[in-house]
Amino acid sequence: MHSTASLLLLFILVPSISSRKSTNPVELLNTCVKGIKHKSFPTPEDKLHNQCFLWQDRSCCTTNTTLDIKINGGLYNFNWNHCGKALQPECARHFVQDLCFYECSPNLGPWLVDVNMKIRSEKAVHVPLCRSECDHWWEDCKEELTCLDNWGKGFNWTTGTNTCPTGKHCHRFQEVFHDAKSFCEQVWDYSWVVVPDDELCMKLWFTPSEGNPNEVVARAKIADMINNSSCPALHTRLVQVLLLLCMWLLWQH
């Protein structure tokens, strides 16, 4: 009896051989971006630095990664100050928080897609960001300077860091992005999509002692994927699990 139950549990929990992002809800809730600094799966970290400490209970980033962010103000040689003027501290903290989220959050599984990049082979696309989070970010950064409206592509990297391409001049964020929604969605190549706060949406800032509110958002997305048949393999797997469960219960009698 115990061996049968164990096999059933393994069937439910062990990832299938095909795409992990489309077949296994358990893995979708316990996965990290496939990147050069990310862990394979989230685990606790008791010494995450600065703003990244919010994810210490279940984190995809290591202590060393957050130390790099603290010391260098960023990662991957990306220069937020590519127009020669340093971001104001009240603006820079939002970009640091966004970076901590991307490096540390264990809640991006349902939105990951494959990409071919040196620093990662996956990225998140159209993750719902609460409008209030976006508005605060925009209000603190709209007077800063940039030469591109999409920081995910288009920069010149020949010097080893990002610089403005020839012919692109620096302007205030207000002139480049025009409004909060366009800024939050375009700046990182549509990793975010801004939604009203009364919808399920991700928070960059939260109180760890009250739990990670983004867990609920990821679970709801997976439930929606199943209910809307956007992931047929998930349906097949769940039916198989139910059949095995029925067979096991019958065997008990």
Side-chain angles (χ1 to χ4, degrees):
M1 179 177 70
H2 294 296
S3 60
T4 305
S6 298
L7 286 172
L8 175 62
L9 187 61
L10 280 171
F11 184 85
I12 296 172
L13 296 179
V14 173
S16 63
I17 295 174
S18 55
S19 173
R20 64 172 187 165
K21 296 186 291 295
S22 64
T23 62
N24 194 324
V26 173
E27 190 175 349
L28 285 172
L29 289 170
N30 292 280
T31 193
C32 298
V33 177
K34 290 180 180 176
I36 60 174
K37 291 183 178 293
H38 289 80
K39 299 178 187 176
S40 298
F41 53 87
T43 58
E45 290 280 342
D46 61 358
K47 294 183 180 179
L48 295 185
H49 291 276
N50 288 8
Q51 296 170 218
C52 296
F53 86 96
L54 302 185
W55 289 273
Q56 62 187 5
D57 289 341
R58 204 163 75 89
S59 176
C60 284
C61 62
T62 65
T63 297
N64 285 341
T65 295
T66 63
L67 182 60
D68 285 345
I69 295 173
K70 177 183 178 181
I71 293 174
N72 301 314
L75 293 174
Y76 311 115
N77 292 327
F78 190 90
N79 182 14
W80 294 325
N81 310 317
H82 46 268
C83 281
K85 179 178 178 291
L87 296 179
Q88 292 299 308
E90 58 268 26
C91 174
R93 71 189 185 99
H94 290 282
F95 282 101
V96 169
Q97 195 69 8
D98 173 76
L99 181 57
C100 284
F101 183 98
Y102 211 87
E103 294 294 322
C104 303
S105 176
N107 307 124
L108 289 172
W111 294 274
L112 293 177
V113 299
D114 294 331
V115 294
N116 183 18
M117 301 177 66
K118 290 182 179 179
I119 61 173
R120 59 179 175 264
S121 58
E122 291 178 329
K123 68 166 287 185
V125 175
H126 294 161
V127 181
L129 177 66
C130 296
R131 181 61 190 252
S132 60
E133 299 270 325
C134 176
D135 287 345
H136 292 150
W137 192 352
W138 172 249
E139 286 301 317
D140 286 341
C141 292
K142 62 184 180 182
E143 299 297 329
E144 303 295 347
L145 298 175
T146 188
C147 55
L148 292 176
D149 63 357
N150 186 334
W151 292 8
K153 56 187 178 182
F155 278 114
N156 184 336
W157 284 88
T158 55
T159 62
T161 188
N162 57 304
T163 58
C164 293
T166 303
K168 290 291 185 179
H169 303 289
C170 292
H171 301 281
R172 291 186 307 157
F173 279 21
Q174 284 192 105
E175 299 171 67
V176 176
F177 298 104
H178 305 300
D179 57 44
K181 187 175 189 296
S182 296
F183 162 67
C184 292
E185 294 183 348
Q186 291 174 212
V187 69
W188 293 126
D189 198 21
Y190 300 95
S191 286
W192 296 114
V193 60
V194 179
V195 302
D197 280 28
D198 58 4
E199 296 182 17
L200 286 171
C201 54
M202 295 291 190
K203 295 184 180 297
L204 297 175
W205 306 84
F206 57 89
T207 304
S209 61
E210 298 176 2
N212 182 347
N214 301 321
E215 298 277 355
V216 175
V217 184
R219 291 179 185 278
K221 175 63 175 177
I222 293 170
D224 186 61
M225 291 165 64
I226 296 171
N227 292 335
N228 291 323
S229 301
S230 61
C231 199
L234 269 175
H235 280 284
T236 301
R237 192 168 183 80
L238 290 172
V239 168
Q240 291 172 335
V241 169
L242 289 173
L243 286 173
L244 275 179
L245 181 58
C246 289
M247 291 172 62
W248 180 69
L249 291 173
L250 286 172
W251 181 72
Q252 300 305 303
H253 293 83

